[in-house]
Amino acid sequence: MVTRAERTTFGEWWWTIDRWLLFSFVALMVSGFLFGLAAYPPVANKLGLPTFHFVNRQAAFLLMAGAIMVGTSFLNPRQVRRLALLLFLAGLGMVILTLFYGAEVKGARRWLNLPGFSLQPSEILKPAFVVMAAWAFSERQSRQDMPSLTIAMLILPLAVVPLIRQPDLGQTILISAVWCGLFFLAGLHILWVIGLAGLGVSGLFLAYRFLPHVTDRIDRFLNKGNGDTFQTDMALESFLSGGWFGRGPGEGTVKRSLPDSHTDFLFSVIGEEFGAITCILVVLVFGFIVVRGMMRARANADPFCRMAGAGLVMLFGLQSFINMAVNLNLVPPKGMTLPFLSYGGSSLLSVALTSGFLLALTRKRPKSALTDRMPAHQAVPRGAMPQPAGG
């Protein structure tokens, strides 16, 4: 048993980490693997692969994701910023590479084929982008001599232009929404709200007008008789088939006809085999993480930790909402995974970094550890007893 008196690295980590958030992430990882035991084998058999091909790979991915999440949670805020900067530059560089050397799938270039595996660089870019944007917005509050607002304004097009060129509208909308949320938290004027809203609507209109796959998806969503809606129809059929309590693990039949049942539509498989009640419990876990994360971010004394924590929670929560909304046919399909539950190494790497950064930034730290980032009038006076920050 680790006591509060221990001054080891692990001891300090254990008593400063938000264990509610940590256990919630672990619960999602474990439940995701159990749900995958029902969803992955039929997909593997359909593709002519060994029955437990995806199960074994997901187990390896989850172990790596857990190690990355826990390892990242040991970092202090300065180390988080430095790692995010390196990942942002690396992720942006690889996203640009996909435009020239990426594997083309359904008319989009989003993947790099590396020795032994494929990587979707935009997944690495997302959490790093959020941390860098939060840093730029938070510096505006503590360093008036730094062009932080200009940096924050430039970092968005720097990230989204290559994503639009892939094209990847789902990831573009996601990180743009988080960026706007951070801009709002930084205290933007109402005119900026109106301007950004108009820019967002204009961007969606242009995407609908000039990107054929976006036009096709929106048309199919608005007019069910216009084009192929097989995947969303099967997703809804899964929920209807499962009812409140589900058909039982491994007893689902609709999942065998669902093309992406192991990735984008895993939530539908959960509905068919485990029932609507289990789906509600899954939603509650995601909701708890969002509420808990926002509360911890709001209570943090450091502007950077507060902004970055809120941004990472928004990223996690919005991605979860979009995936489940697509499964319920509430929004057009976006090709977005459900954090910690859907199959995929790139997705798990992104979510592990997101959760690891969040755990690191919401750890309890004395104000004396934050004085190098706080304005002089907020610093702890010499000889004063530092109080815990971050709730």
Side-chain angles (χ1 to χ4, degrees):
M1 180 67 181
V2 180
T3 65
R4 291 182 180 270
E6 289 190 29
R7 306 306 299 174
T8 63
T9 302
F10 178 78
E12 291 184 0
W13 173 84
W14 177 251
W15 290 109
T16 56
I17 200 78
D18 189 315
R19 292 190 290 277
W20 283 103
L21 281 177
L22 177 64
F23 294 150
S24 298
F25 290 136
V26 172
L28 286 179
M29 296 172 73
V30 173
S31 59
F33 180 74
L34 295 178
F35 294 143
L37 289 173
Y40 302 158
V43 179
N45 292 333
K46 187 163 51 178
L47 297 175
L49 298 170
T51 301
F52 291 99
H53 172 80
F54 292 115
V55 173
N56 295 332
R57 287 176 63 87
Q58 185 73 347
F61 290 150
L62 283 170
L63 289 175
M64 289 188 290
I68 291 172
M69 179 183 71
V70 173
T72 307
S73 69
F74 277 85
L75 302 179
N76 60 44
R78 180 174 297 177
Q79 292 169 332
V80 168
R81 291 195 298 272
R82 290 175 177 175
L83 178 58
L85 176 59
L86 293 176
L87 291 175
F88 178 78
L89 295 175
L92 182 61
M94 288 189 289
V95 168
I96 295 174
L97 279 179
T98 61
L99 304 178
F100 303 97
Y101 305 106
E104 186 171 341
V105 179
K106 299 179 181 179
R109 295 181 178 272
R110 302 173 186 172
W111 296 84
L112 285 178
N113 290 327
L114 303 176
F117 65 99
S118 297
L119 178 68
Q120 188 174 0
S122 60
E123 295 288 357
I124 298 177
L125 182 66
K126 286 190 301 186
F129 167 86
V130 172
V131 173
M132 296 309 299
W135 167 79
F137 283 122
S138 64
E139 286 295 305
R140 178 170 172 264
Q141 303 177 25
S142 57
R143 295 184 58 182
Q144 301 297 326
D145 60 326
M146 184 176 178
S148 53
L149 185 58
T150 303
I151 296 174
M153 297 291 288
L154 291 176
I155 197 173
L156 180 63
L158 188 64
V160 302
V161 168
L163 291 177
I164 294 174
R165 292 288 300 164
Q166 284 185 333
D168 192 340
L169 183 63
Q171 303 289 16
T172 301
I173 292 175
L174 180 60
I175 66 173
S176 298
V178 174
W179 185 90
C180 291
L182 290 173
F183 203 163
F184 177 79
L185 292 178
L188 78 167
H189 194 273
I190 186 63
L191 293 178
W192 278 106
V193 176
I194 298 173
L196 288 173
L199 189 62
V201 172
S202 301
L204 285 175
F205 174 77
L206 292 174
Y208 175 78
R209 182 69 177 81
F210 296 106
L211 297 178
H213 76 287
V214 175
T215 305
D216 179 58
R217 289 187 177 185
I218 294 178
D219 285 345
R220 280 185 290 164
F221 175 75
L222 295 177
N223 184 1
K224 305 305 180 184
N226 186 8
D228 180 19
T229 58
F230 176 78
Q231 191 145 259
T232 52
D233 291 341
M234 287 295 99
L236 291 177
E237 181 65 26
S238 297
F239 291 108
L240 293 174
S241 175
W244 284 105
F245 302 102
R247 299 173 63 92
E251 299 298 322
T253 56
V254 181
K255 68 179 182 182
R256 303 180 189 279
S257 303
L258 198 56
D260 297 319
S261 60
H262 62 315
T263 53
D264 301 349
F265 288 89
L266 180 65
F267 192 60
S268 299
V269 178
I270 297 173
E272 181 182 18
E273 301 208 343
F274 300 92
I277 292 179
T278 302
C279 289
I280 293 172
L281 292 176
V282 171
V283 172
L284 289 176
V285 174
F286 280 106
F288 173 80
I289 290 173
V290 171
V291 173
R292 178 73 178 182
M294 281 296 186
M295 290 175 60
R296 292 303 301 267
R298 181 178 180 274
N300 206 299
D302 179 57
F304 165 70
C305 293
R306 188 164 56 247
M307 292 286 289
L312 292 167
V313 171
M314 284 189 282
L315 178 67
F316 185 90
L318 280 173
Q319 180 170 334
S320 306
F321 169 78
I322 290 172
N323 177 275
M324 290 184 282
V326 167
N327 277 253
L328 294 169
N329 202 25
L330 299 177
V331 298
K334 290 289 187 298
M336 203 166 291
T337 56
L338 189 58
F340 283 129
L341 270 65
S342 296
Y343 171 83
S346 297
S347 173
L348 279 176
L349 173 62
S350 174
V351 180
L353 287 170
T354 301
S355 54
F357 284 154
L358 179 61
L359 289 171
L361 295 172
T362 55
R363 285 174 59 185
K364 296 178 181 178
R365 292 183 174 89
K367 287 186 179 180
S368 57
L370 305 173
T371 52
D372 63 320
R373 299 217 10 100
M374 296 172 62
H377 69 279
Q378 296 182 13
V380 178
R382 185 181 299 274
M385 182 66 69
Q387 300 296 322

